[in-house]
């Protein structure tokens, strides 16, 4: 594989700068220190509310990652933006996802853990949670010999996309797949489309851990537009599916810390409040002023934009007030999330408000 030296140098400089900006305490965190204490956020952050300390994960090391034990032979690694999970076994390492922002730090983390445990450090199996490049775009660094496993739809999508950084799975399944390697076991399940058409649930019963990506965001509100999910009703149902698994630890694929069951419950409540507030705003806000302002110009999109944006802002206001200080970035993405909820209620649920059947 050809590597652009300039790009690599820029990337290293960027990461070095990011690490250099961390508090000194963040660079002295001990290996395998478990859930390290959260880094306190400075007060008076520009533009947005401070991130609650409970939403922040463990400090990163000098290379820009944190690796820690979940339980037994199960570990996780994060760069505070993305997360991966891996199992060390007698026969090699099983890795779940390969986010490109973590990149070669995945190899460093696996090597660090495997050598400390006296186990093989070679990644023999790589499980794809779904096809999106931000979660598996570093798959290529593990070479051609690794056994790649994913849903059948993942294989179909990757064969169409032909991204050399994301080789298609060599093993694909439709509904359930049990992966047993070196005395360890992963249970993979497909419960239908949610965030993406192919997103799966990865359960490790022995260690009471569930990995499901881009559904639950421990300590934070969901990413913009409800995680840019392709099927909003199914994505919301995926919350309930996740909570039916008997997990104690959640690997959500994003941000800096692991999840506990209270995180799932809180996000479900956030979503219920967001839906209720959006329904209320749809019923309360009269679109007449927006038609009056832009109708004569014939600019239909201006009518819809200004009205729908106003509904989203009204819907978001009480939700932001309730969750500020409880969920990080409540003031950052809740308006966008309300807009997506509004569109799903209109298009998926048929709640059209003032745009219902004309009398």
């Amino acid at each position: 594989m050809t590597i652009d030296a300039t790009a690599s140098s820029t990337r290293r400089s960027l990461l070095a700068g990011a690490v250099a900006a961390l508090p000194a305490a963040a660079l002295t965190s001990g290996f395998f220190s478990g859930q390290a204490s959260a880094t306190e956020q400075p007060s008076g952050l520009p533009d947005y509310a401070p991130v609650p300390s409970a939403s922040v994960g463990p400090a990163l090391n000098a290379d820009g990652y944190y690796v820690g034990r979940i339980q037994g032979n199960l570990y996780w690694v994060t760069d505070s933006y993305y997360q991966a999970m891996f199992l060390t076994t007698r026969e090699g390492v099983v890795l779940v996802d390969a986010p490109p922002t973590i990149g070669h730090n995945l190899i460093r983390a696996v090597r660090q853990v495997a050598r400390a445990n006296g186990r093989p450090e070679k990644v023999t199996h790589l499980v794809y949670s779904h096809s999106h490049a931000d979660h598996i775009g570093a798959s290529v660094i593990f070479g051609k010999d690794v056994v790649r496993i994913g849903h059948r739809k993942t294989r179909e999508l990757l064969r169409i996309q032909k991204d050399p950084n994301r080789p298609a799975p060599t093993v694909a399944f439709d509904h359930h797949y049990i992966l047993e390697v070196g005395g360890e076991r992963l249970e993979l399940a497909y419960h239908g489309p949610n965030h993406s058409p192919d997103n799966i649930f990865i359960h490790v019963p022995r260690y009471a851990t569930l990995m499901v990506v881009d559904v639950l965001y421990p300590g934070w509100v969901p990413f913009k537009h409800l995680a840019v999910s392709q099927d909003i009703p199914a994505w919301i149902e995926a919350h309930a599916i996740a909570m039916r698994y008997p997990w104690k630890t959640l690997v959500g694929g994003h941000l800096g810390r692991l999840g506990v069951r209270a995180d799932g419950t809180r996000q479900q409540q956030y979503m219920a409040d967001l839906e209720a507030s959006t329904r209320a705003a749809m019923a309360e806000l009269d679109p007449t002023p927006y038609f009056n302002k832009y109708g004569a110009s014939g600019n239909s999109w201006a009518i819809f934009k200004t009205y729908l944006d106003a509904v989203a802002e009204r819907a978001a206001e009480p939700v932001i007030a309730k969750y500020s200080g409880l969920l990080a970035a409540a003031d950052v993405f809740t308006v966008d999330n309300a807009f997506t909820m509004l569109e799903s209620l209109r298009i998926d649920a048929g709640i059209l408000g003032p745009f219902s059947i004309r009398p």
Side-chain angles (χ1 to χ4, degrees):
M1 179 179 66
T2 302
I3 298 177
D4 186 324
T6 302
S8 296
S9 176
T10 302
R11 169 73 167 160
R12 286 194 298 271
S13 298
L14 177 64
L15 291 175
V19 172
L22 291 171
L27 303 180
T28 57
S29 175
F31 177 53
F32 293 156
S33 57
Q35 281 292 94
S37 60
T39 303
E40 290 296 327
Q41 297 296 294
S43 60
L45 291 173
D47 303 326
Y48 298 110
V51 174
S53 59
S55 300
V56 181
L60 307 181
N61 64 18
D63 287 324
Y65 70 92
Y66 171 85
V67 61
R69 177 183 277 115
I70 296 175
Q71 189 178 339
N73 296 314
L74 184 65
Y75 297 83
W76 70 298
V77 57
T78 183
D79 61 356
S80 292
Y81 305 108
Y82 285 84
Q83 300 172 359
M85 179 175 77
F86 63 93
L87 269 168
T88 59
T89 83
R90 298 189 302 267
E91 299 173 8
V93 175
V94 178
L95 175 66
V96 184
D97 278 356
T101 64
I102 305 178
H104 284 83
N105 278 339
L106 291 167
I107 295 175
R108 296 182 184 100
V110 165
R111 181 185 302 129
Q112 189 177 359
V113 169
R115 288 180 178 177
N117 292 344
R119 291 203 157 194
E121 63 188 63
K122 179 179 175 57
V123 174
T124 58
H125 296 76
L126 174 54
V127 176
Y128 289 168
S129 64
H130 62 304
S131 65
H132 290 173
D134 61 327
H135 289 279
I136 63 167
S139 174
V140 66
I141 71 176
F142 295 98
K144 297 180 179 180
D145 294 335
V146 65
V147 177
R148 293 174 169 87
I149 303 166
H151 189 259
R152 191 172 304 279
K153 178 61 71 173
T154 301
R155 183 159 67 181
E156 292 172 2
L157 290 168
L158 292 178
R159 284 177 172 175
I160 292 170
Q161 291 159 3
K162 298 180 180 178
D163 180 357
N165 291 325
R166 292 177 288 160
T170 48
V171 176
F173 68 96
D174 289 315
H175 302 292
H176 300 278
Y177 186 85
I178 304 298
L179 175 61
E180 294 183 327
V181 179
E184 299 292 345
R185 176 187 176 100
L186 287 176
E187 297 180 357
L188 315 182
Y190 179 67
H191 296 286
N194 48 76
H195 164 70
S196 66
D198 59 325
N199 203 23
I200 65 170
F201 292 65
I202 302 101
H203 188 213
V204 195
R206 183 176 182 180
Y207 304 124
T209 297
L210 176 70
M211 181 169 178
V212 58
V213 173
D214 287 322
V215 175
L216 297 174
Y217 292 79
W220 295 69
V221 300
F223 185 73
K224 187 174 185 175
H225 295 307
L226 300 181
V228 291
S229 298
Q230 294 175 258
D231 187 331
I232 298 302
W235 180 79
I236 294 173
E237 175 60 21
H239 293 60
I241 295 171
M243 294 302 287
R244 287 198 289 270
Y245 277 85
W247 55 270
K248 294 181 179 179
T249 302
L250 177 88
V251 182
H254 274 289
L255 303 165
R257 74 166 174 85
L258 297 171
V260 296
R261 295 198 69 86
D263 292 311
T265 300
R266 177 163 285 174
Q267 185 167 315
Q268 285 184 300
Q269 187 60 58
Y270 171 89
M271 292 303 303
D273 290 340
L274 185 68
E275 179 175 342
S277 188
T278 304
R279 286 175 180 265
M282 292 172 72
E284 295 164 359
L285 195 61
D286 181 4
T288 302
Y290 305 93
F291 278 94
N292 290 342
K293 182 174 182 178
Y294 296 106
S297 69
N299 194 335
S300 300
W301 276 180
I303 297 170
F304 273 81
K305 172 181 169 52
T306 54
Y307 171 71
L308 296 174
D309 284 352
V311 172
E313 289 169 7
R314 178 176 291 196
E317 185 176 356
V319 180
I320 293 171
K322 178 175 179 178
Y323 288 94
S324 290
L326 296 177
L327 290 176
D331 58 331
V332 178
F333 280 148
T334 297
V335 172
D336 297 310
N337 289 337
F339 183 90
T340 300
M341 176 65 75
L342 164 62
E343 286 301 280
S344 179
L345 289 172
R346 291 194 323 115
I347 293 169
D348 299 319
I351 302 171
L352 298 172
F355 304 106
S356 297
I357 297 174
R358 187 182 183 93

